[in-house]
Amino acid sequence: MTKILAISEANAISFHAMALIAISEISINTNDIAEISGASKHHTAKVLQRLVKHGLLGSIRGPSGGFYLKKMANKILLIEILEALEGEIKINDCPIDNPVCPFGSCLMGGICSEIGTNLLNYLKSHTLSDLIVNIDSNQNILNRVKNHENYRIK
């Protein structure tokens, strides 16, 4: 089935990794993040490197190392996470990237631009703190992090 709205696997990893790191009381390593979020270790490592490069995460090397937030979760806008991987986000009026519609005006009536604008405004006005409140407490994600075999105190 086709999805109306989809994000890339890398973006999904970045949002999930940032949420895991935000709720963790300690630095958390690539293996733990990949296993808990169900992503590949290699892809997770690449995404985490980009987040470090853009100053959202810090990293500690070594056997007790891992990743940590460089600033408080309530100071990290969701758009910063997305743009760390994708670059600057721009709204495109045409869903198939036509510079000029062959029909003279968009058959979709501008809904694509409206959806893009709404999503962009959401990402610019919500923080990582807003994202982590959506974590289902029944999933016991924090307990999975704490009980993971590689869990170490900073």
Side-chain angles (χ1 to χ4, degrees):
M1 179 179 283
T2 300
K3 299 174 189 165
I4 293 292
L5 179 65
I7 62 172
S8 70
E9 182 181 4
N11 288 318
I13 291 169
S14 69
F15 285 117
H16 286 93
M18 292 291 288
L20 280 171
I21 294 164
I23 65 172
S24 179
E25 297 167 4
I26 56 138
S27 60
I28 181 170
N29 68 36
T30 304
N31 292 338
D32 294 343
I33 294 168
E35 186 174 318
I36 292 166
S37 65
S40 83
K41 178 183 165 188
H42 179 70
H43 202 175
T44 299
K46 288 174 70 174
V47 167
L48 292 171
Q49 289 169 358
R50 304 254 324 252
L51 295 170
V52 169
K53 180 180 177 185
H54 282 84
L56 296 174
L57 296 178
S59 64
I60 301 168
R61 291 182 179 249
S64 60
F67 294 89
Y68 60 91
L69 297 180
K70 292 275 288 214
K71 53 186 179 179
M72 301 294 291
N74 65 351
K75 301 292 184 193
I76 300 173
L77 292 172
L78 298 180
I79 190 69
E80 293 177 84
I81 299 169
L82 185 63
E83 287 184 340
L85 272 67
E86 302 296 336
E88 184 181 359
I89 305 300
K90 296 181 182 177
I91 303 300
N92 190 352
D93 292 337
C94 181
I96 56 173
D97 295 327
N98 276 338
V100 177
C101 184
F103 290 89
S105 64
C106 183
L107 294 177
M108 300 299 288
I111 188 68
C112 297
S113 178
E114 183 181 334
I115 291 168
T117 300
N118 287 340
L119 180 58
L120 189 59
N121 288 338
Y122 180 88
L123 296 170
K124 287 180 175 180
S125 63
H126 287 79
T127 67
L128 182 57
S129 290
D130 298 322
L131 191 72
I132 61 179
V133 300
N134 293 322
I135 296 173
D136 185 349
S137 60
N138 293 327
Q139 295 298 314
N140 296 314
I141 296 296
L142 187 54
N143 287 334
R144 286 174 62 195
V145 171
K146 286 182 177 180
N147 293 327
H148 201 272
E149 63 187 58
N150 295 323
Y151 185 80
R152 291 181 179 86
I153 297 175
K154 283 185 189 174

